[in-house]
Amino acid sequence: MAFDHIDRQILTLLQEDGRMTNVDLAERVGLTAPPCLRRVRALEDAGAIRGYHAELDPAALGYPITVFAMVSLRSQAEHDLAAFEEHVAAIPEIRECHMLNGEIDFILKIVAADLRSFQDILTTHLTPAPNVASVKTSLTIRTAKALPGIPVRMD
């Protein structure tokens, strides 16, 4: 789908505030409400907008610990990669799973209530998982930047 300037404005504004009303959105992009809503629905149907969510504070919800785990697998056969992805998808504290190229096969973002909870995730779910060769972890000290979404080019 080709995005024009108005589509890009809509994407930028909804990414900043997904709760914005269609009337407010239409006003900000210079449209009336019905054509703006049609554009939003078209962006959703095309998959450019995958969903809407609230950004939550992990610490406020009892998850003050964030750890990144670098996982190496013994085999990189597609069925082994898929099996690992299915395994981590079932662990709610694993919030992100990215396959990488190079020495490390996957990087995981894990949240935990405390270090003991993280150790439990590591020792009962990650290191004994089938095909896992090694897991290296790094505890987050602080987060300097964590922007949701992606930059939308206006060109």
Side-chain angles (χ1 to χ4, degrees), residues 29-52:
V29 299
L31 295 174
T32 59
C36 183
L37 185 58
R38 281 193 296 275
R39 281 179 177 258
V40 170
R41 295 252 163 85
L43 291 166
E44 291 169 347
D45 292 344
I49 298 174
R50 295 191 305 198
Y52 301 88

PDB file of all heavy atoms in Angstrom, residues 29-52:
ATOM      1  N   VAL A  29      -5.653  16.385  10.744  1.00  0.00           N
ATOM      2  CA  VAL A  29      -5.100  16.090   9.418  1.00  0.00           C
ATOM      3  C   VAL A  29      -5.821  16.841   8.305  1.00  0.00           C
ATOM      4  O   VAL A  29      -5.472  16.688   7.131  1.00  0.00           O
ATOM      5  CB  VAL A  29      -5.075  14.573   9.109  1.00  0.00           C
ATOM      6  CG1 VAL A  29      -4.208  13.838  10.115  1.00  0.00           C
ATOM      7  CG2 VAL A  29      -6.460  13.982   9.030  1.00  0.00           C
ATOM      8  N   GLY A  30      -6.816  17.641   8.676  1.00  0.00           N
ATOM      9  CA  GLY A  30      -7.497  18.472   7.682  1.00  0.00           C
ATOM     10  C   GLY A  30      -8.575  17.769   6.877  1.00  0.00           C
ATOM     11  O   GLY A  30      -8.806  18.117   5.719  1.00  0.00           O
ATOM     12  N   LEU A  31      -9.225  16.784   7.479  1.00  0.00           N
ATOM     13  CA  LEU A  31     -10.318  16.074   6.817  1.00  0.00           C
ATOM     14  C   LEU A  31     -11.583  16.191   7.650  1.00  0.00           C
ATOM     15  O   LEU A  31     -11.532  16.584   8.815  1.00  0.00           O
ATOM     16  CB  LEU A  31      -9.983  14.579   6.668  1.00  0.00           C
ATOM     17  CG  LEU A  31      -8.829  14.173   5.780  1.00  0.00           C
ATOM     18  CD1 LEU A  31      -8.595  12.665   5.893  1.00  0.00           C
ATOM     19  CD2 LEU A  31      -9.089  14.556   4.336  1.00  0.00           C
ATOM     20  N   THR A  32     -12.702  15.787   7.077  1.00  0.00           N
ATOM     21  CA  THR A  32     -13.901  15.612   7.876  1.00  0.00           C
ATOM     22  C   THR A  32     -13.866  14.194   8.437  1.00  0.00           C
ATOM     23  O   THR A  32     -13.078  13.343   7.987  1.00  0.00           O
ATOM     24  CB  THR A  32     -15.180  15.837   7.034  1.00  0.00           C
ATOM     25  OG1 THR A  32     -15.171  14.898   5.957  1.00  0.00           O
ATOM     26  CG2 THR A  32     -15.248  17.271   6.504  1.00  0.00           C
ATOM     27  N   ALA A  33     -14.727  13.917   9.401  1.00  0.00           N
ATOM     28  CA  ALA A  33     -14.672  12.640  10.112  1.00  0.00           C
ATOM     29  C   ALA A  33     -14.887  11.408   9.218  1.00  0.00           C
ATOM     30  O   ALA A  33     -14.127  10.440   9.326  1.00  0.00           O
ATOM     31  CB  ALA A  33     -15.660  12.647  11.278  1.00  0.00           C
ATOM     32  N   PRO A  34     -15.894  11.381   8.316  1.00  0.00           N
ATOM     33  CA  PRO A  34     -16.104  10.149   7.543  1.00  0.00           C
ATOM     34  C   PRO A  34     -14.916   9.729   6.666  1.00  0.00           C
ATOM     35  O   PRO A  34     -14.499   8.564   6.724  1.00  0.00           O
ATOM     36  CB  PRO A  34     -17.359  10.447   6.720  1.00  0.00           C
ATOM     37  CG  PRO A  34     -18.097  11.480   7.529  1.00  0.00           C
ATOM     38  CD  PRO A  34     -17.008  12.318   8.137  1.00  0.00           C
ATOM     39  N   PRO A  35     -14.318  10.631   5.877  1.00  0.00           N
ATOM     40  CA  PRO A  35     -13.167  10.165   5.086  1.00  0.00           C
ATOM     41  C   PRO A  35     -11.952   9.808   5.951  1.00  0.00           C
ATOM     42  O   PRO A  35     -11.165   8.921   5.597  1.00  0.00           O
ATOM     43  CB  PRO A  35     -12.854  11.325   4.145  1.00  0.00           C
ATOM     44  CG  PRO A  35     -13.592  12.494   4.640  1.00  0.00           C
ATOM     45  CD  PRO A  35     -14.692  11.996   5.513  1.00  0.00           C
ATOM     46  N   CYS A  36     -11.820  10.460   7.093  1.00  0.00           N
ATOM     47  CA  CYS A  36     -10.712  10.117   7.993  1.00  0.00           C
ATOM     48  C   CYS A  36     -10.897   8.702   8.520  1.00  0.00           C
ATOM     49  O   CYS A  36      -9.952   7.906   8.525  1.00  0.00           O
ATOM     50  CB  CYS A  36     -10.642  11.125   9.140  1.00  0.00           C
ATOM     51  SG  CYS A  36      -9.243  10.839  10.251  1.00  0.00           S
ATOM     52  N   LEU A  37     -12.123   8.376   8.923  1.00  0.00           N
ATOM     53  CA  LEU A  37     -12.395   7.029   9.422  1.00  0.00           C
ATOM     54  C   LEU A  37     -12.166   5.977   8.333  1.00  0.00           C
ATOM     55  O   LEU A  37     -11.613   4.906   8.596  1.00  0.00           O
ATOM     56  CB  LEU A  37     -13.823   6.933   9.960  1.00  0.00           C
ATOM     57  CG  LEU A  37     -14.204   5.610  10.617  1.00  0.00           C
ATOM     58  CD1 LEU A  37     -13.273   5.280  11.773  1.00  0.00           C
ATOM     59  CD2 LEU A  37     -15.645   5.658  11.086  1.00  0.00           C
ATOM     60  N   ARG A  38     -12.535   6.293   7.096  1.00  0.00           N
ATOM     61  CA  ARG A  38     -12.283   5.361   5.989  1.00  0.00           C
ATOM     62  C   ARG A  38     -10.791   5.118   5.819  1.00  0.00           C
ATOM     63  O   ARG A  38     -10.347   3.991   5.574  1.00  0.00           O
ATOM     64  CB  ARG A  38     -12.895   5.890   4.683  1.00  0.00           C
ATOM     65  CG  ARG A  38     -14.394   5.661   4.579  1.00  0.00           C
ATOM     66  CD  ARG A  38     -14.913   5.902   3.171  1.00  0.00           C
ATOM     67  NE  ARG A  38     -14.772   7.272   2.703  1.00  0.00           N
ATOM     68  CZ  ARG A  38     -15.645   8.251   2.947  1.00  0.00           C
ATOM     69  NH1 ARG A  38     -16.732   8.014   3.664  1.00  0.00           N
ATOM     70  NH2 ARG A  38     -15.431   9.463   2.468  1.00  0.00           N
ATOM     71  N   ARG A  39     -10.000   6.181   5.941  1.00  0.00           N
ATOM     72  CA  ARG A  39      -8.541   6.030   5.813  1.00  0.00           C
ATOM     73  C   ARG A  39      -7.982   5.175   6.945  1.00  0.00           C
ATOM     74  O   ARG A  39      -7.122   4.314   6.719  1.00  0.00           O
ATOM     75  CB  ARG A  39      -7.860   7.394   5.795  1.00  0.00           C
ATOM     76  CG  ARG A  39      -7.944   8.088   4.449  1.00  0.00           C
ATOM     77  CD  ARG A  39      -7.257   9.456   4.552  1.00  0.00           C
ATOM     78  NE  ARG A  39      -7.237  10.156   3.297  1.00  0.00           N
ATOM     79  CZ  ARG A  39      -6.170  10.235   2.503  1.00  0.00           C
ATOM     80  NH1 ARG A  39      -5.037   9.642   2.829  1.00  0.00           N
ATOM     81  NH2 ARG A  39      -6.235  10.915   1.377  1.00  0.00           N
ATOM     82  N   VAL A  40      -8.450   5.423   8.170  1.00  0.00           N
ATOM     83  CA  VAL A  40      -7.971   4.632   9.307  1.00  0.00           C
ATOM     84  C   VAL A  40      -8.318   3.161   9.090  1.00  0.00           C
ATOM     85  O   VAL A  40      -7.479   2.278   9.283  1.00  0.00           O
ATOM     86  CB  VAL A  40      -8.549   5.150  10.642  1.00  0.00           C
ATOM     87  CG1 VAL A  40      -8.248   4.185  11.789  1.00  0.00           C
ATOM     88  CG2 VAL A  40      -7.993   6.533  10.965  1.00  0.00           C
ATOM     89  N   ARG A  41      -9.531   2.884   8.675  1.00  0.00           N
ATOM     90  CA  ARG A  41      -9.944   1.492   8.433  1.00  0.00           C
ATOM     91  C   ARG A  41      -9.111   0.869   7.310  1.00  0.00           C
ATOM     92  O   ARG A  41      -8.735  -0.311   7.385  1.00  0.00           O
ATOM     93  CB  ARG A  41     -11.432   1.435   8.097  1.00  0.00           C
ATOM     94  CG  ARG A  41     -12.307   1.879   9.252  1.00  0.00           C
ATOM     95  CD  ARG A  41     -13.048   0.723   9.883  1.00  0.00           C
ATOM     96  NE  ARG A  41     -13.568   1.064  11.200  1.00  0.00           N
ATOM     97  CZ  ARG A  41     -14.716   1.677  11.426  1.00  0.00           C
ATOM     98  NH1 ARG A  41     -15.478   2.043  10.421  1.00  0.00           N
ATOM     99  NH2 ARG A  41     -15.111   1.920  12.667  1.00  0.00           N
ATOM    100  N   ALA A  42      -8.807   1.644   6.273  1.00  0.00           N
ATOM    101  CA  ALA A  42      -7.975   1.133   5.175  1.00  0.00           C
ATOM    102  C   ALA A  42      -6.565   0.832   5.679  1.00  0.00           C
ATOM    103  O   ALA A  42      -5.962  -0.180   5.287  1.00  0.00           O
ATOM    104  CB  ALA A  42      -7.935   2.127   4.017  1.00  0.00           C
ATOM    105  N   LEU A  43      -6.025   1.681   6.552  1.00  0.00           N
ATOM    106  CA  LEU A  43      -4.702   1.443   7.131  1.00  0.00           C
ATOM    107  C   LEU A  43      -4.714   0.196   8.010  1.00  0.00           C
ATOM    108  O   LEU A  43      -3.752  -0.583   8.011  1.00  0.00           O
ATOM    109  CB  LEU A  43      -4.236   2.668   7.923  1.00  0.00           C
ATOM    110  CG  LEU A  43      -3.899   3.898   7.081  1.00  0.00           C
ATOM    111  CD1 LEU A  43      -3.793   5.143   7.955  1.00  0.00           C
ATOM    112  CD2 LEU A  43      -2.623   3.682   6.297  1.00  0.00           C
ATOM    113  N   GLU A  44      -5.813  -0.016   8.736  1.00  0.00           N
ATOM    114  CA  GLU A  44      -5.944  -1.229   9.546  1.00  0.00           C
ATOM    115  C   GLU A  44      -6.047  -2.462   8.648  1.00  0.00           C
ATOM    116  O   GLU A  44      -5.359  -3.459   8.876  1.00  0.00           O
ATOM    117  CB  GLU A  44      -7.184  -1.135  10.439  1.00  0.00           C
ATOM    118  CG  GLU A  44      -7.058  -0.101  11.538  1.00  0.00           C
ATOM    119  CD  GLU A  44      -8.373   0.171  12.256  1.00  0.00           C
ATOM    120  OE1 GLU A  44      -9.449  -0.249  11.768  1.00  0.00           O
ATOM    121  OE2 GLU A  44      -8.310   0.827  13.314  1.00  0.00           O
ATOM    122  N   ASP A  45      -6.897  -2.378   7.627  1.00  0.00           N
ATOM    123  CA  ASP A  45      -7.088  -3.514   6.710  1.00  0.00           C
ATOM    124  C   ASP A  45      -5.800  -3.880   5.966  1.00  0.00           C
ATOM    125  O   ASP A  45      -5.546  -5.052   5.691  1.00  0.00           O
ATOM    126  CB  ASP A  45      -8.199  -3.226   5.695  1.00  0.00           C
ATOM    127  CG  ASP A  45      -9.575  -3.163   6.331  1.00  0.00           C
ATOM    128  OD1 ASP A  45      -9.733  -3.634   7.483  1.00  0.00           O
ATOM    129  OD2 ASP A  45     -10.500  -2.621   5.690  1.00  0.00           O
ATOM    130  N   ALA A  46      -4.987  -2.871   5.653  1.00  0.00           N
ATOM    131  CA  ALA A  46      -3.726  -3.104   4.948  1.00  0.00           C
ATOM    132  C   ALA A  46      -2.637  -3.640   5.884  1.00  0.00           C
ATOM    133  O   ALA A  46      -1.575  -4.055   5.426  1.00  0.00           O
ATOM    134  CB  ALA A  46      -3.253  -1.810   4.287  1.00  0.00           C
ATOM    135  N   GLY A  47      -2.897  -3.622   7.190  1.00  0.00           N
ATOM    136  CA  GLY A  47      -1.910  -4.117   8.149  1.00  0.00           C
ATOM    137  C   GLY A  47      -0.914  -3.078   8.612  1.00  0.00           C
ATOM    138  O   GLY A  47      -0.006  -3.395   9.379  1.00  0.00           O
ATOM    139  N   ALA A  48      -1.057  -1.829   8.157  1.00  0.00           N
ATOM    140  CA  ALA A  48      -0.148  -0.778   8.618  1.00  0.00           C
ATOM    141  C   ALA A  48      -0.393  -0.473  10.094  1.00  0.00           C
ATOM    142  O   ALA A  48       0.536  -0.159  10.833  1.00  0.00           O
ATOM    143  CB  ALA A  48      -0.318   0.491   7.781  1.00  0.00           C
ATOM    144  N   ILE A  49      -1.650  -0.562  10.518  1.00  0.00           N
ATOM    145  CA  ILE A  49      -2.002  -0.447  11.932  1.00  0.00           C
ATOM    146  C   ILE A  49      -2.367  -1.850  12.390  1.00  0.00           C
ATOM    147  O   ILE A  49      -3.352  -2.425  11.940  1.00  0.00           O
ATOM    148  CB  ILE A  49      -3.189   0.523  12.150  1.00  0.00           C
ATOM    149  CG1 ILE A  49      -2.820   1.934  11.692  1.00  0.00           C
ATOM    150  CG2 ILE A  49      -3.602   0.518  13.629  1.00  0.00           C
ATOM    151  CD1 ILE A  49      -3.981   2.919  11.732  1.00  0.00           C
ATOM    152  N   ARG A  50      -1.540  -2.400  13.268  1.00  0.00           N
ATOM    153  CA  ARG A  50      -1.756  -3.782  13.710  1.00  0.00           C
ATOM    154  C   ARG A  50      -2.611  -3.879  14.953  1.00  0.00           C
ATOM    155  O   ARG A  50      -3.120  -4.945  15.270  1.00  0.00           O
ATOM    156  CB  ARG A  50      -0.418  -4.466  13.972  1.00  0.00           C
ATOM    157  CG  ARG A  50       0.402  -4.612  12.705  1.00  0.00           C
ATOM    158  CD  ARG A  50       1.581  -5.511  12.877  1.00  0.00           C
ATOM    159  NE  ARG A  50       2.451  -5.107  13.977  1.00  0.00           N
ATOM    160  CZ  ARG A  50       3.701  -5.510  14.130  1.00  0.00           C
ATOM    161  NH1 ARG A  50       4.220  -6.338  13.254  1.00  0.00           N
ATOM    162  NH2 ARG A  50       4.422  -5.101  15.127  1.00  0.00           N
ATOM    163  N   GLY A  51      -2.751  -2.782  15.690  1.00  0.00           N
ATOM    164  CA  GLY A  51      -3.559  -2.827  16.907  1.00  0.00           C
ATOM    165  C   GLY A  51      -3.364  -1.579  17.734  1.00  0.00           C
ATOM    166  O   GLY A  51      -2.586  -0.687  17.376  1.00  0.00           O
ATOM    167  N   TYR A  52      -4.069  -1.535  18.840  1.00  0.00           N
ATOM    168  CA  TYR A  52      -4.010  -0.412  19.771  1.00  0.00           C
ATOM    169  C   TYR A  52      -3.808  -1.003  21.161  1.00  0.00           C
ATOM    170  O   TYR A  52      -4.358  -2.049  21.489  1.00  0.00           O
ATOM    171  CB  TYR A  52      -5.323   0.378  19.732  1.00  0.00           C
ATOM    172  CG  TYR A  52      -5.649   0.920  18.360  1.00  0.00           C
ATOM    173  CD1 TYR A  52      -6.365   0.163  17.439  1.00  0.00           C
ATOM    174  CD2 TYR A  52      -5.226   2.182  17.983  1.00  0.00           C
ATOM    175  CE1 TYR A  52      -6.644   0.652  16.177  1.00  0.00           C
ATOM    176  CE2 TYR A  52      -5.510   2.684  16.721  1.00  0.00           C
ATOM    177  CZ  TYR A  52      -6.226   1.908  15.823  1.00  0.00           C
ATOM    178  OH  TYR A  52      -6.497   2.401  14.577  1.00  0.00           O
TER     179      TYR A  52
END
